Amino acid sequence: MTIKSLTYFLIFIISFLSLNAYSQSMIVYDEDRNIDIEFKYNTYESDNSLPNLFINELSTSQSRMRSFFKYSISAKVKNQLIKEGNTYNLKIRIDSISVDGNFDFRGFNFQKAVLPAQLYYSYNIYENNSKTLQERKIYLNIFYSEPYIIDSSFTDISDTKSFTITNEKLNYVYNKEQKDVFNKSIEYIKQYYNDGKSIEEINNNIVKLNPDNIDKIILESIDIKYISKKFNKIKLPIYQEQLSLQETDPAGIYKNYTTTKFRIDSLYKLYITRFKVLDSLYYAKGMQYKNDSNTIKSIEYFDKSIDFSPEYLPSLYELAYYEYNNEEYFNSESYLNRILLITSKYNDANVLALRNYNAMLQQGIELNRQERYTEGLRLLEHAKKFCTTNMHVMQCDSIQDISIEQAQAGIYKSYISIAAASMRRGRFDMTESYLESATKYQQKFSHAIKYNSEAERIYTLLITQYLRLSIEAANNYNNRQANNYINHADSLANAHSLDEALSFVEQTKIQIKDKDYSKSVATAENIKNIELIEKNQYSNVQIEEISPVQIAKNSYELYIRKGDEYDKHELYSKAYAQYKEAENIANDYDLKKDKDLDYKIHKNARFAILENLNTASLHAWASRFKSADNILNNTLVEIKENKLEEDTFIIRKIKHLRIEILKKADSKQSIVFNNKMQKARKSIDFNDFINMKLYCDSAITIGENSYQIPLNIGYPRTLLLKYSKEIEYQILVESIKQQLDSNNYKTAIEDYNISITEYKSLNNRIDKFTLKDFAKYANNSIVFDYTITTAIDSNKTELAFDIWKLAIETGSIIDDKTAELCMFSLADIDHNNYPNSNSKALYNNRFGKTKAFKKYKKYYYKGLKK
């Protein structure tokens, strides 16, 4: 090859190589870096910015300076710019995005809440020759776990430019909604913990309920409604979704809320269920007492059962059976009638009704046998009424009507017997009255008393006595009196158609006229014979069984006279009482009433009622409400009895009185209630929560018993809930003192441990029973040892020393180990306070010349050496 050919060949090779080199890839930019954003309190931004808001809240809740708080977002980025000819390929790989910092606020994680709404990676493509920038952005998901890979390209048409990558950084954007959500979340978290306290108080109240105590079911049914109402005011359901409480429940309040809701719903249903069957619960309790032979308590619960449900058959039956066993047949009949009005299918009651009827019947027959006819008749007639009313469950005994007729006949004989006895005693007026009553009684019950012959015979004897008196009067030349006796005897004989007596009267008239008394039917011998007959025939009669009619007449006239006298002096209440007694006597003994008696009763009743209403008004004015109410109720009965319901003046008077009673009662109750609450508030001011509880309980009782006005019993209940911890603490302290008084030091120390561990939160709200107070009150070596050791364990060495000095003053000796421990602690404090002082000077400064400490001097020096 020639030199010229070789030269062309080399030029070709060089050109080829140059061209090949130009067409290969070239890495223009290649960089790996970590890019981050740091968030901390920025004084140049407003406190309203989200990072500043969060850091402020975080520092407040954790008691640290806000400058310590920060959080950051970082990303690991790899950028590569490759040139191939006039084409540039940009490859970006973001391997990981990490978040660092404390996002916990009161147990809740605020990471998602406070991180930016948008995060993006930005960079500039920089053209070196013209120095121009082209900004680009890549939007990122903070919580996306996979790498981001971006591959893009652009072409340099002129093929004269060179490019590179600059200004790589992470950027963020917050939106307004985030701030609103954050502020709401903070508010909800505070509400969350407040609701937790409310739920705890509600649970404390629930614990006090006892649905098994049937005596309190009615009251506690109201309590569970109040608790349910208070529970429904808890706002947790409003924010549970925003705070994601089903996943995040740092204090367990959401769980406590759901369990409490279940407890309240269950208890509410239980109380409603038990309230509906309270009559059967009372009955079961009564049966339990009955089986235990506690009759009084069993009757009490059976009564409660029918008070709650008047138609509860088992309790009515038990009460009827109790009265039957006690031979109180009228009372038993009353309960049985109530059962039989409801149903005739209660077999036990039907059997008992028949037994009760037979018992009344047999007792009535026995009373007849004892000649206690009035009582027997009353019982027998009652038995008959009971039987005839309930013939659908029993059949009346045939002996019933026979026994009633025997009792009626016996009463008739009693009238006759008393008439004879009265005549024997010379009380002819009473004899007439009883004979008249006997005659009327025979006419009224002629089916039982067929004839009135016995009364006629006594009438004949009575007429004979009057004739004897007329002869005596004639002998004494008292013709007027003699005529009166004869006329009265004649009148009686004619009134009762006594032929024999009429003949005696006619004979006596003739003899008195002829002055021949030797043949008189009323001679001394005849009178003696009559008395013998009376004595023999009526000697066994029980005169006490029936009240004399004449006495009734005399009493009637006396009551009328007294009533007229009181009426005359305008003493209407007394006059009304006298007239009513007279009316009752007239009705009981079939006496003829005065024509104007009804008018007198009506007139004096009206004035007496007005007087009673005025009296009731005075009692109400004097705050004697119970007395005023009783007078009013009694007056209403009298109004009805005297048919004065439509008297407009009385109606108006009653209306005004009711208003006055209610007004005064309302005022009195309100004053008492308010006084109790004022004392409760005073007790709170003096940190006396035990007395506060007593006043609140008393106020609640007043409110619950106030059926006339609604008193705000919610307020004392709220105070009891609010200060429940303080109340528990002071009760515990009182219990500790009682244990100390009883020398139960071990129990007292255990209780005191509870008081200082479970009631720490009360430090600033109540006067505490301190270690020193505990030691001073106890004044016992065991307690002194405990309090000194506890004080040292709590780094309160000076307090321990004060307690030790108190022990020395009271002559108590503490344990050597306790003394050694205290000396070591004192030596440590003194050495730190006076590092350059010698041991003797420190000891003298601390203990002076107190001899009690010399025994433990070695421990102090030993502590100084340590």
Side-chain angles (χ1 to χ4, degrees):
M1 183 180 292
T2 63
I3 295 174
K4 187 176 180 180
S5 299
L6 184 60
T7 301
Y8 281 119
F9 179 76
L10 290 172
I11 290 169
F12 174 78
I13 293 298
I14 292 168
S15 299
F16 178 81
L17 291 171
S18 297
L19 180 63
N20 190 42
Y22 181 79
S23 63
Q24 286 181 351
S25 297
M26 184 175 64
I27 297 174
V28 176
Y29 181 84
D30 189 359
E31 190 76 36
D32 289 344
R33 64 172 62 194
N34 289 326
I35 307 172
D36 59 38
I37 314 169
E38 187 174 75
F39 298 86
K40 58 184 179 180
Y41 189 81
N42 190 342
T43 56
Y44 297 101
E45 290 187 22
S46 69
D47 283 346
N48 243 354
S49 70
L50 192 52
N52 283 358
L53 276 174
F54 176 63
I55 291 169
N56 268 335
E57 289 291 347
L58 205 61
S59 60
T60 302
S61 69
Q62 298 188 17
S63 303
R64 292 171 60 188
M65 292 177 64
R66 58 191 175 191
S67 60
F68 283 96
F69 288 91
K70 62 183 178 179
Y71 56 95
S72 62
I73 306 170
S74 61
K76 187 177 181 181
V77 183
K78 179 178 177 61
N79 289 332
Q80 195 175 53
L81 184 62
I82 302 171
K83 182 178 181 183
E84 294 181 0
N86 62 348
T87 300
Y88 286 82
N89 292 321
L90 177 60
K91 294 183 178 181
I92 301 174
R93 178 186 177 93
I94 302 174
D95 282 328
S96 61
I97 301 171
S98 59
V99 178
D100 185 40
N102 177 23
F103 296 92
D104 288 334
F105 176 73
R106 299 187 71 178
F108 288 85
N109 192 312
F110 270 70
Q111 189 183 72
K112 290 185 179 181
V114 301
L115 289 177
Q118 289 184 343
L119 179 71
Y120 62 91
Y121 168 68
S122 67
Y123 59 92
N124 292 332
I125 298 176
Y126 183 73
E127 200 279 299
N128 293 320
N129 296 331
S130 62
K131 297 183 179 179
T132 58
L133 297 172
Q134 183 183 354
E135 186 179 14
R136 294 191 180 184
K137 297 178 181 178
I138 300 171
Y139 285 92
L140 307 174
N141 186 338
I142 298 173
F143 304 102
Y144 185 68
S145 59
E146 298 296 324
Y148 284 83
I149 301 173
I150 296 93
D151 197 346
S152 63
S153 64
F154 59 89
T155 305
D156 177 19
I157 301 171
S158 64
D159 199 20
T160 60
K161 298 176 180 176
S162 63
F163 296 89
T164 187
I165 305 298
T166 62
N167 293 337
E168 299 169 73
K169 60 181 178 180
L170 289 174
N171 297 279
Y172 63 90
V173 176
Y174 283 102
N175 58 35
K176 184 181 182 300
E177 288 74 21
Q178 269 187 290
K179 191 186 295 182
D180 292 340
V181 170
F182 173 81
N183 286 329
K184 263 303 188 205
S185 297
I186 295 295
E187 182 183 327
Y188 286 153
I189 288 170
K190 292 175 181 176
Q191 184 64 46
Y192 168 83
Y193 284 101
N194 287 335
D195 284 345
K197 293 178 182 176
S198 299
I199 293 168
E200 186 180 350
E201 289 176 356
I202 287 169
N203 277 315
N204 289 339
N205 286 333
I206 291 174
V207 169
K208 295 174 185 176
L209 299 178
N210 181 11
D212 294 327
N213 186 348
I214 62 173
D215 293 323
K216 292 188 176 181
I217 280 181
I218 295 174
L219 291 175
E220 291 187 356
S221 296
I222 299 169
D223 288 339
I224 194 66
K225 288 180 183 177
Y226 170 79
I227 289 170
S228 179
K229 187 176 180 181
K230 185 173 182 181
F231 182 81
N232 290 332
K233 290 180 180 179
I234 291 173
K235 299 177 181 178
L236 189 142
I238 297 172
Y239 56 80
Q240 73 174 68
E241 187 175 344
Q242 182 162 334
L243 294 183
S244 302
L245 292 179
Q246 289 182 333
E247 293 82 23
T248 305
D249 187 16
I253 291 170
Y254 175 74
K255 182 180 179 182
N256 197 11
Y257 173 83
T258 54
T259 54
T260 303
K261 187 176 188 305
F262 176 77
R263 288 178 71 189
I264 290 173
D265 291 343
S266 301
L267 278 172
Y268 188 83
K269 289 177 184 176
L270 180 60
Y271 274 105
I272 292 298
T273 303
R274 295 201 170 183
F275 187 81
K276 289 178 180 177
V277 296
L278 191 54
D279 47 8
S280 62
L281 294 176
Y282 283 139
Y283 169 74
K285 191 80 170 178
M287 289 303 293
Q288 183 181 337
Y289 279 118
K290 180 183 176 182
N291 294 334
D292 294 339
S293 301
N294 192 338
T295 306
I296 294 174
K297 294 296 287 184
S298 69
I299 295 304
E300 177 187 335
Y301 279 94
F302 293 143
D303 281 332
K304 284 183 178 181
S305 178
I306 62 171
D307 284 344
F308 182 79
S309 178
E311 296 184 355
Y312 189 70
L313 301 178
S315 293
L316 285 170
Y317 172 77
E318 289 298 330
L319 290 169
Y321 192 80
Y322 168 76
E323 298 293 355
Y324 169 79
N325 276 345
N326 284 280
E327 297 184 2
E328 296 291 343
Y329 302 123
F330 289 165
N331 294 340
S332 179
E333 176 205 341
S334 173
Y335 290 120
L336 289 166
N337 274 329
R338 288 170 67 175
I339 296 173
L340 296 173
L341 279 172
I342 299 166
T343 180
S344 61
K345 296 180 180 180
Y346 198 109
N347 292 331
D348 289 345
N350 295 345
V351 172
L352 183 61
L354 183 58
R355 290 172 65 186
N356 195 71
Y357 163 71
N358 287 328
M360 284 196 289
L361 195 60
Q362 292 305 318
Q363 193 177 55
I365 292 169
E366 176 61 22
L367 289 170
N368 280 353
R369 192 183 65 77
Q370 296 174 12
E371 297 184 0
R372 294 163 61 186
Y373 299 114
T374 305
E375 295 175 55
L377 180 62
R378 177 171 171 264
L379 195 60
L380 289 165
E381 286 180 338
H382 219 78
K384 181 178 181 180
K385 183 180 178 182
F386 180 54
C387 177
T388 52
T389 305
N390 299 296
M391 291 187 72
H392 54 293
V393 296
M394 69 177 75
Q395 187 175 357
C396 297
D397 196 321
S398 58
I399 200 172
Q400 167 187 279
D401 292 332
I402 297 171
S403 300
I404 289 173
E405 290 180 0
Q406 287 175 350
Q408 290 168 342
I411 291 172
Y412 172 76
K413 288 180 180 178
S414 297
Y415 278 118
I416 298 298
S417 301
I418 296 172
S422 300
M423 186 171 62
R424 188 169 61 248
R425 293 169 184 167
R427 295 293 307 272
F428 302 138
D429 54 345
M430 287 179 60
T431 305
E432 274 191 60
S433 294
Y434 279 103
L435 288 174
E436 185 178 353
S437 296
T439 303
K440 288 181 179 179
Y441 197 80
Q442 185 272 330
Q443 292 168 355
K444 186 176 181 180
F445 300 106
S446 57
H447 61 282
I449 311 161
K450 302 296 183 183
Y451 306 104
N452 195 28
S453 56
E454 292 187 33
E456 291 174 355
R457 194 160 64 83
I458 301 298
Y459 264 123
T460 301
L461 293 173
L462 177 63
I463 289 168
T464 304
Q465 295 286 22
Y466 280 129
L467 294 176
R468 178 177 61 80
L469 291 173
S470 69
I471 290 172
E472 288 179 0
N475 281 335
N476 294 324
Y477 303 99
N478 192 343
N479 294 327
R480 185 176 178 182
Q481 191 177 29
N483 287 331
N484 286 341
Y485 282 128
I486 288 177
N487 291 336
H488 188 63
D490 188 28
S491 174
L492 285 175
N494 282 306
H496 297 283
S497 303
L498 303 173
D499 295 336
E500 185 182 9
L502 282 170
S503 66
F504 289 164
V505 171
E506 291 302 320
Q507 290 177 34
T508 304
K509 284 181 180 179
I510 295 169
Q511 290 164 3
I512 289 175
K513 184 178 178 182
D514 296 339
K515 297 184 179 181
D516 183 7
Y517 307 125
S518 59
K519 298 179 180 179
S520 171
V521 295
T523 59
E525 186 178 352
N526 286 339
I527 296 301
K528 186 176 180 182
N529 291 334
I530 291 170
E531 287 177 352
L532 285 171
I533 293 169
E534 292 170 10
K535 189 173 182 181
N536 293 332
Q537 190 167 355
Y538 304 110
S539 59
N540 296 323
V541 175
Q542 293 184 355
I543 297 172
E544 294 75 18
E545 287 296 324
I546 299 183
S547 302
V549 174
Q550 187 58 44
I551 292 175
K553 278 187 177 181
N554 294 340
S555 299
Y556 170 83
E557 291 170 358
L558 180 63
Y559 282 125
I560 293 292
R561 286 197 301 273
K562 284 185 177 179
D564 291 342
E565 188 67 22
Y566 286 135
D567 187 18
K568 180 180 176 182
H569 292 89
E570 297 183 354
L571 299 173
Y572 302 114
S573 294
K574 292 183 177 181
Y576 170 71
Q578 298 297 320
Y579 290 138
K580 283 298 289 183
E581 286 295 332
E583 184 184 51
N584 292 337
I585 290 171
N587 291 335
D588 290 342
Y589 291 92
D590 295 324
L591 302 179
K592 186 177 180 181
K593 294 191 288 186
D594 292 1
K595 291 181 181 179
D596 58 348
L597 180 59
D598 289 336
Y599 166 76
K600 290 178 180 179
I601 290 172
H602 187 80
K603 168 199 162 186
N604 284 276
R606 186 174 186 276
F607 285 117
I609 285 165
L610 292 174
E611 284 179 356
N612 289 341
L613 293 176
N614 289 333
T615 304
S617 182
L618 285 173
H619 284 221
W621 177 82
S623 299
R624 294 167 60 189
F625 305 112
K626 188 173 181 181
S627 174
D629 207 41
N630 288 337
I631 294 171
L632 180 57
N633 291 333
N634 294 333
T635 304
L636 291 173
V637 173
E638 291 177 358
I639 289 170
K640 189 174 182 180
E641 285 179 357
N642 292 282
K643 299 177 182 179
L644 292 168
E645 295 97 333
E646 296 181 3
D647 190 307
T648 54
F649 187 80
I650 289 176
I651 291 169
R652 192 162 56 249
K653 192 82 173 173
I654 290 172
K655 184 178 178 181
H656 288 315
L657 177 59
R658 286 191 186 281
I659 293 170
E660 189 175 355
I661 289 174
L662 287 174
K663 184 178 177 182
K664 292 284 184 181
D666 291 355
S667 174
K668 182 75 174 177
Q669 285 182 317
S670 296
I671 290 169
V672 175
F673 179 89
N674 291 332
N675 283 341
K676 296 290 183 186
M677 292 314 302
Q678 189 175 5
K679 289 178 180 178
R681 289 192 292 271
K682 281 282 186 187
S683 299
I684 293 171
D685 293 339
F686 288 99
N687 286 337
D688 184 2
F689 295 99
I690 293 178
N691 274 326
M692 183 273 283
K693 181 181 185 301
L694 294 175
Y695 290 129
C696 285
D697 287 342
S698 180
I700 290 168
T701 302
I702 292 168
E704 288 174 341
N705 294 331
S706 172
Y707 58 89
Q708 295 165 332
I709 53 167
L711 296 173
N712 184 19
I713 59 175
Y715 180 55
R717 282 176 168 161
T718 302
L719 289 181
L720 291 175
L721 289 173
K722 182 178 179 181
Y723 295 105
S724 58
K725 283 287 185 185
E726 286 82 352
I727 294 167
E728 289 171 10
Y729 176 79
Q730 288 195 344
I731 290 173
L732 181 59
V733 169
E734 289 302 313
S735 174
I736 291 167
K737 290 179 178 179
Q738 288 176 10
Q739 297 292 349
L740 293 174
D741 292 339
S742 303
N743 298 328
N744 296 327
Y745 301 109
K746 185 178 179 181
T747 306
I749 289 170
E750 289 172 354
D751 288 346
Y752 188 81
N753 273 328
I754 294 171
S755 75
I756 62 177
T757 53
E758 293 189 7
Y759 297 91
K760 285 182 179 178
S761 59
L762 299 179
N763 280 339
N764 300 322
R765 292 157 54 189
I766 193 171
D767 296 332
K768 301 299 286 291
F769 190 51
T770 62
L771 276 170
K772 191 171 182 179
D773 295 335
F774 182 39
K776 188 173 182 180
Y777 191 94
N779 193 18
N780 173 266
S781 298
I782 296 171
V783 177
F784 279 126
D785 283 334
Y786 161 79
T787 50
I788 291 169
T789 307
T790 305
I792 292 168
D793 291 343
S794 303
N795 294 324
K796 297 177 181 178
T797 306
E798 292 295 346
L799 174 60
F801 184 54
D802 288 341
I803 295 171
W804 192 1
K805 288 191 286 186
L806 184 65
I808 291 170
E809 288 172 7
T810 57
S812 297
I813 300 173
I814 67 171
D815 187 65
D816 285 347
K817 289 184 179 179
T818 306
E820 182 180 354
L821 181 63
C822 190
M823 281 296 190
F824 281 175
S825 298
L826 292 170
D828 186 44
I829 290 173
D830 292 346
H831 177 70
N832 289 333
N833 290 337
Y834 310 100
N836 298 321
S837 297
N838 61 44
S839 299
K840 188 174 181 180
L842 288 174
Y843 179 87
N844 290 333
N845 182 59
R846 167 65 70 177
F847 303 105
K849 295 181 180 180
T850 306
K851 293 180 180 180
F853 295 108
K854 286 185 178 180
K855 179 181 177 182
Y856 311 104
K857 190 175 184 179
K858 58 183 178 180
Y859 299 129
Y860 184 81
Y861 285 139
K862 190 175 179 181
L864 290 174
K865 287 180 181 179
K866 285 185 177 180

